[in-house]
Amino acid sequence: WSLTQFTPASMEIVPRNTHERAFAVGVLIFALLVFSSFLSSLTASMTQLRQLSWKFDKNLSFLRKYLRTHMISAGLSIRILRYVEYRLATNRQEIRESDVYLLNILSTQLNMELVQETYEPILITHPFLHQYALASRAAMRDLCNKATQRVQFSMGDIVFTERSKADGMYFLLKGKMKYFRKRRAGTTTLDKIDCYMQVGEWCSEAAMWTDWEHPGCMVAVENAEALQVHAGKFIDVTRKHQHVLHSTLYYSYHFVQWLNEQSSQGLLSDIHGLERAMLESLVAESFAGDLESKAPSLATLEIVQQRNSFLQRFKSQVMGLTLTSSEGSGDVAEEEQADAHALGAEAADPEQVAWGSYGGSSSAGEQLVWGSYAGSSAAAGDGA
C-alpha cells in the first residue's frame, strides 16, 4: 500500500473510516511531493549530461571540419584528435585553478601561498631548491609564483632540440620523455638514445647557472606534463633575496666548474647531472655558514685570473653585457685588463652579483671551455 502511494497507483486496500482516510490523504500528498522532486532532479541531471555531451560532440565536429577544410595531413590530424581527447579526459578527473571561480576572489597573499604549496613539493625534490626553500620562504614563494609554470606536451612533441638555447630546467610531472644525443662520428641524425626521463626527475639544470645550449634533443614519447623553472626569472627572484643570494652564487660557481670538467671529457648532457652524494655535499657546503664574503673572493680573484681562456656569453639578463670572443680579436688583452680593474673596483659593492657563463672556440661545437663571471649589478647601466 505504501509503494502504491508513491507511484501513485491503487490496490484493494482502502480506508474504512475518517482517520484512515485522513492518513491516506496525507501519505498521498507527501508521496506526490517526494516523487515529483526525485523525478525533476533526475530529469535535470539527464538534461545536463546531454548538453555536455552535445557541446563536446559539437566542438569535436568543428575541429574535424577545420582539419579537413584546411587539408591537414592525416598523421597530424590523428595526433591532434588524440591529444584533445586525452586533455578532455584529464580535465574531467582533475580540477585546475581556472576551474574554481572562487579562487579569483582570494587576496594576493593567499593566492601566492596557494601556488607555493602547489609547486613547492615538486621543486624541493632537487636538493638545492630544498635548501633554498628552507633558507627563505619568501624567496621560494616568489620562485613558485614568478618563475615557474606548467607546460604540456603531446606524444611526439619535441621539448628542445640540439644546440638550441635553454630557457630553464624541467621537472617531469606526467608521462615519459626520451633524450637523444648525436653520435661522435659526425652523423647528422639523432639516433643514439641516451636515456629516458621518468616522472619525478629533472633535466637541463645547467641552464639555471650558465648560458646553456642543449647538447641533445628531448622528445615526449607519451602525453606529458612538466614544471618549468625559467632561468632568467629565477635570477631576478634570487637577486632580491639576500638570504639565498650568496649560497646560490657559491653553488652556481662550483656547478659551472664541474661542467668544465665534464666538457673536457666530452660528457656534457642535459640529463646526467652531479651524482646524488656529490650534489648533496655541494648543497650542504653552499648553505653552510656565512658566504657573504666568500662569494666575492671567488668572483674577483680566481675568476679574473682564469678569464683569459673564456668566451663570455652572459649577455644582458644580469649584467647587460655583449657577446665577446677570445679568438679573432686584437684588443682581447686590453679588454681583459679593463675588466680586471672593473671587477676589482666593484668587489666592495654589496649588490655584487656573480653567475656562471660559458664559451666555446671549437667550430664543431664539441669542445667547450667553461667559466664564470662576476660584476656589480649597480654599476651596469644596461643591465636587466
Side-chain angles (χ1 to χ4, degrees), residues 279-355:
L279 177 60
E280 292 177 352
S281 176
L282 177 56
V283 170
E285 184 180 351
S286 300
F287 286 89
D290 184 13
L291 298 175
E292 186 171 354
S293 59
K294 195 172 183 179
S297 66
L298 293 173
T300 56
L301 299 179
E302 196 168 347
I303 296 174
V304 172
Q305 292 172 1
Q306 298 177 4
R307 182 166 179 259
N308 56 357
S309 65
F310 298 151
L311 169 65
Q312 182 190 325
R313 300 180 63 181
F314 192 41
K315 298 186 180 180
S316 61
Q317 266 190 333
V318 175
M319 298 307 302
L321 300 175
T322 56
L323 183 64
T324 59
S325 174
S326 59
E327 292 188 1
S329 174
D331 299 328
V332 173
E334 295 180 3
E335 292 178 1
E336 296 295 332
Q337 294 177 0
D339 289 337
H341 292 328
L343 288 172
E346 294 164 356
D349 192 331
E351 296 184 0
Q352 178 176 357
V353 175
W355 222 268

Side-chain angles (χ1 to χ4, degrees), residues 96 150-153 171-174 223-227:
R96 298 296 180 89
R150 288 179 181 264
V151 287
Q152 288 81 27
F153 302 98
F171 292 81
L172 188 59
L173 305 178
K174 295 179 181 178
N223 293 322
E225 183 176 5
L227 200 63

Side-chain angles (χ1 to χ4, degrees), residues 242-305:
Q242 295 295 322
H243 292 292
V244 294
L245 175 60
H246 295 286
S247 297
T248 304
L249 297 178
Y250 187 89
Y251 177 87
S252 65
Y253 173 81
H254 288 280
F255 190 92
V256 170
Q257 297 309 306
W258 174 80
L259 285 175
N260 183 36
E261 298 174 1
Q262 296 295 105
S263 173
S264 63
Q265 303 174 20
L267 299 176
L268 291 179
S269 173
D270 291 286
I271 297 291
H272 301 138
L274 285 166
E275 295 182 358
R276 188 74 182 190
M278 186 183 302
L279 177 60
E280 292 177 352
S281 176
L282 177 56
V283 170
E285 184 180 351
S286 300
F287 286 89
D290 184 13
L291 298 175
E292 186 171 354
S293 59
K294 195 172 183 179
S297 66
L298 293 173
T300 56
L301 299 179
E302 196 168 347
I303 296 174
V304 172
Q305 292 172 1

Side-chain angles (χ1 to χ4, degrees), residues 43-57:
T43 304
S45 299
M46 294 298 297
T47 303
Q48 186 177 9
L49 288 176
R50 289 194 184 96
Q51 289 178 349
L52 291 176
S53 178
W54 173 81
K55 185 177 181 180
F56 168 76
D57 293 338

Side-chain angles (χ1 to χ4, degrees), residues 113-184:
E113 292 182 6
L114 178 62
V115 173
Q116 179 183 3
E117 294 199 6
T118 303
Y119 291 161
E120 184 176 352
I122 303 167
L123 298 179
I124 62 176
T125 56
H126 191 289
F128 172 80
L129 293 178
H130 179 67
Q131 291 296 326
Y132 188 95
L134 294 177
S136 176
R137 298 292 297 169
M140 176 54 71
R141 185 180 304 117
D142 286 346
L143 174 62
C144 293
N145 283 272
K146 299 178 181 179
T148 307
Q149 64 176 354
R150 288 179 181 264
V151 287
Q152 288 81 27
F153 302 98
S154 174
M155 182 174 60
D157 283 357
I158 298 177
V159 181
F160 53 77
T161 58
E162 186 185 19
R163 307 290 294 276
S164 62
K165 180 177 174 57
D167 296 326
M169 67 184 300
Y170 295 90
F171 292 81
L172 188 59
L173 305 178
K174 295 179 181 178
K176 182 191 295 185
M177 296 182 180
K178 185 164 52 177
Y179 183 68
F180 297 89
R181 283 194 301 179
K182 188 178 294 184
R183 294 185 183 274
R184 293 291 180 181

Side-chain angles (χ1 to χ4, degrees), residues 77-94:
S77 298
I78 292 174
R79 287 180 58 199
I80 291 174
L81 291 173
R82 286 180 177 176
Y83 183 70
V84 167
E85 293 176 357
Y86 162 77
R87 288 301 306 274
L88 290 174
T90 303
N91 291 341
R92 293 192 191 102
Q93 299 174 359
E94 297 181 356

